[in-house]
Amino acid sequence: MKRKVFYSLLALLVIFPLFNVTSPAQAAGFTDVPARALEEVTFLSDGNIAKGSSAAIFNSNRTITRAEAAIFLGRALQLNGTPRKTVFRDVDRSSSVAGYIQSGVDHNIILGYLSGVSAGNFYPNKAITRGEMAIMIANAFKYSYGGTASGAAKALMDRGVADGMGNGSFGSGNLIKRADFAVFLARAINPEFRTKDSVSFTKSLWSNAPNLNIRSGPSTAYPSIGKLSENQQVSGAHSVGKWTYVKSGATVGFVSTAYLRTTAAKPAATPPVTESADSRLSGQTIIIDPGHGGSDPGAISFGLREKDVVLTTGLKVNNLLKQTPFNVKMTRSTDTFVSLSARPAFAVRNGGDVFVSIHANAASASATGTETFYYSAATNPYTADSRLLATKIQNRMIAAWNLRNRGVKTGNFAVLRENNMPAALAELGFITNKSDNDKLKSDYWLTSASKAIYYGILDYYKAKGYDVDSLYNVPK
Ligand SMILES: [Zn+2]
């Protein structure tokens, strides 16, 4: 281990030893929380979103660091907190904060220093200001605010999530204490804490399951405060990660979004599902494998690198799958080198049920189109399912991008050959072809490709007899 790395790791361990510990739900018995923040800190503590340094000490008056804010927000939105490599050189992959910091980046909630003299650093121990807090919360809860600190401050004030300073200003440059950050976060999650009635239940939603719990907060750590019967209609407001804030009669609380539909009851012709679709899907793990990475750029053409295009697409697929009961894992979620053999090994180690590798093609400038591969030989025993998966993804990609249909093909790729689950490799288009390249360099078309891959995976599960109908309604 390099000395520099060792010291930065040491520094993180010294500063954040407490966030390693996943303790059971902590009774909020803090003795250092001021009355103005007590209900909100208790609410976050009940859901294991905010923790103190002990059962009694919340460190209310200490300024909150960028790393702590990332942890609180990541827990609130149920993001992946597994320590892993981040895009920042000053956040060690093994540090307990690395997972939430990288998830914050993946979800555009918390930004590091991407340009200028500080580029590539996150500064996890730096205290945040009220202005930075406003931007993080506005990003986390998807407020439209125009991308400016003043816009974010206004978005929070309009909703009663934050107040101004009394002198008319927001105090954007002022540092913020842990207790006050907790208050703002609790208000963003739960409108009952807000300083004004700003919630509007504008969405019509229907329960997808019998005996569905309405909970007092957005996780199963919170108690049930009511039940919905199957097909019962509710009104929905905002989402907090995978939970939706709903109103049903006099009961207002949070319901797991996976159990809500945006359309009225299914047609009577639909045969009853004998086994709960959701319970089966939550046992399924999808492995997303963006090709290349790090020192291996893949194909490069017209200034575009394959490794970047396929990572962007993979992250978008990941974000879609994260909103479903499926488990999803990525062989890489950052610009890092992963060997060919490590990819199927990762999939096997993580109990993958479906493996989808994402690539862009390269050949002469005239070659164009979309093709999807599977491996047809004895080393991966799932030939028929692999062909089915490849076909479903290919069909969706053709519908989405309308490039030349080069078809579903067999290919002897290590990531398919050395796998032991249904596996497909999508070549979205040719990076070496000008018009294919135009799509590959467009965020709009990569979003379209990610939905095609997502729908292709759903089509595969549907063909295998799973009830995935409710998952076709994805946000945005
Ligand atoms: Zn490739």
Side-chain angles (χ1 to χ4, degrees):
M1 183 179 283
K2 282 183 204 159
R3 174 171 289 196
K4 192 175 142 199
V5 173
F6 173 76
Y7 282 122
S8 60
L9 178 58
L10 188 67
L12 284 165
L13 287 175
V14 167
I15 291 161
F16 301 110
L18 312 159
F19 304 107
N20 267 329
V21 185
T22 24
S23 53
Q26 173 185 35
F30 297 123
T31 56
D32 65 340
V33 177
R36 70 172 193 282
L38 192 55
E39 281 187 43
E40 292 86 348
V41 169
T42 302
F43 174 74
L44 297 184
S45 172
D46 287 348
N48 297 319
I49 294 168
K51 300 177 190 176
S53 55
S54 73
I57 304 298
F58 186 67
N59 298 311
S60 292
N61 282 318
R62 194 156 61 57
T63 53
I64 184 163
T65 67
R66 293 167 56 77
E68 289 171 328
I71 292 170
F72 285 8
L73 287 167
R75 290 199 192 118
L77 302 188
Q78 312 105 47
L79 303 181
N80 178 5
T82 307
R84 58 191 189 277
K85 184 166 164 45
T86 75
V87 297
F88 303 111
R89 71 172 76 91
D90 64 348
V91 180
D92 191 275
R93 67 186 308 156
S94 62
S95 100
S96 60
V97 301
Y100 285 123
I101 289 174
Q102 185 56 38
S103 288
V105 172
D106 293 344
H107 291 260
N108 297 319
I109 293 167
I110 187 161
L111 305 175
Y113 296 85
L114 300 171
S115 60
V117 290
S118 303
N121 289 306
F122 182 74
Y123 297 109
N125 305 332
K126 195 172 172 231
I128 66 168
T129 63
R130 284 170 58 89
E132 289 165 336
M133 173 279 295
I135 289 175
M136 287 179 194
I137 287 184
N139 288 337
F141 292 89
K142 298 186 165 61
Y143 300 159
S144 64
Y145 67 95
T148 63
S150 60
K154 182 171 186 308
L156 267 61
M157 289 191 285
D158 286 348
R159 288 166 175 79
V161 170
D163 292 323
M165 299 297 287
N167 62 1
S169 88
F170 186 71
S172 285
N174 298 355
L175 296 177
I176 186 168
K177 292 174 180 166
R178 283 168 53 89
D180 295 304
F181 186 90
V183 167
F184 297 136
L185 177 56
R187 287 177 186 161
I189 294 170
N190 189 342
E192 286 174 35
F193 295 121
R194 292 183 190 175
T195 59
K196 64 170 92 160
D197 183 12
S198 65
V199 65
S200 46
F201 294 94
T202 54
K203 295 180 212 165
S204 292
L205 300 166
W206 286 265
S207 158
N208 222 3
N211 268 324
L212 185 58
N213 284 311
I214 303 176
R215 294 184 182 274
S216 62
S219 93
T220 53
Y222 288 100
S224 173
I225 54 172
K227 296 269 190 188
L228 297 176
S229 55
E230 189 155 17
N231 296 325
Q232 189 173 341
Q233 185 175 357
V234 298
S235 305
H238 62 290
S239 296
V240 181
K242 296 174 187 172
W243 293 71
T244 301
Y245 192 62
V246 303
K247 181 177 173 59
S248 169
T251 307
V252 179
F254 294 85
V255 169
S256 171
T257 308
Y259 295 96
L260 293 171
R261 285 197 308 276
T262 53
T263 53
K266 293 173 190 173
T270 305
V273 182
T274 49
E275 187 180 0
S276 161
D278 287 317
S279 73
R280 286 195 300 162
L281 295 181
S282 65
Q284 293 289 311
T285 298
I286 316 288
I287 309 289
I288 301 298
D289 176 47
H292 313 281
S295 57
D296 169 15
I300 303 179
S301 197
F302 299 106
L304 198 59
R305 300 182 300 191
E306 182 187 357
K307 69 172 184 176
D308 299 325
V309 170
V310 299
L311 178 58
T312 301
T313 309
L315 288 169
K316 287 176 187 285
V317 179
N318 182 59
N319 283 345
L320 291 169
L321 286 166
K322 284 278 184 206
Q323 299 169 53
T324 73
F326 285 114
N327 301 308
V328 53
K329 304 258 184 191
M330 300 184 74
T331 55
R332 69 177 182 99
S333 58
T334 58
D335 181 17
T336 184
F337 177 79
V338 183
S339 73
L340 285 179
S341 60
R343 295 167 189 260
F346 172 91
V348 171
R349 192 168 68 246
N350 283 283
D353 295 288
V354 155
F355 181 95
V356 178
S357 193
I358 305 171
H359 286 257
N361 243 325
S364 68
S366 61
T368 175
T370 300
E371 57 194 10
T372 308
F373 290 91
Y374 68 101
Y375 183 65
S376 172
T379 52
N380 184 338
Y382 296 94
T383 302
D385 282 348
S386 294
R387 186 193 309 117
L388 176 66
L389 176 65
T391 304
K392 296 300 186 189
I393 291 173
Q394 174 73 8
N395 290 346
R396 287 287 185 171
M397 267 305 296
I398 294 302
W401 276 25
N402 199 27
L403 293 182
R404 187 179 148 212
N405 189 348
R406 302 173 67 94
V408 171
K409 300 175 175 176
T410 59
N412 187 9
F413 296 102
V415 295
L416 304 180
R417 184 181 67 236
E418 291 163 24
N419 232 316
N420 74 344
M421 65 200 69
L425 185 149
E427 296 276 11
L428 306 179
F430 281 79
I431 200 165
T432 40
N433 175 275
K434 183 70 181 87
S435 66
D436 287 19
N437 186 286
D438 284 343
K439 282 201 162 75
L440 290 164
K441 73 158 65 104
S442 150
D443 189 68
Y444 171 86
W445 287 107
L446 294 186
T447 298
S448 157
S450 68
K451 285 184 185 170
I453 293 168
Y454 170 78
Y455 290 141
I457 292 168
L458 294 186
D459 292 347
Y460 167 82
Y461 272 95
K462 193 177 169 94
K464 297 296 289 180
Y466 288 77
D467 179 5
V468 293
D469 288 349
S470 65
L471 306 185
Y472 284 93
N473 297 312
V474 294
K476 284 190 279 186

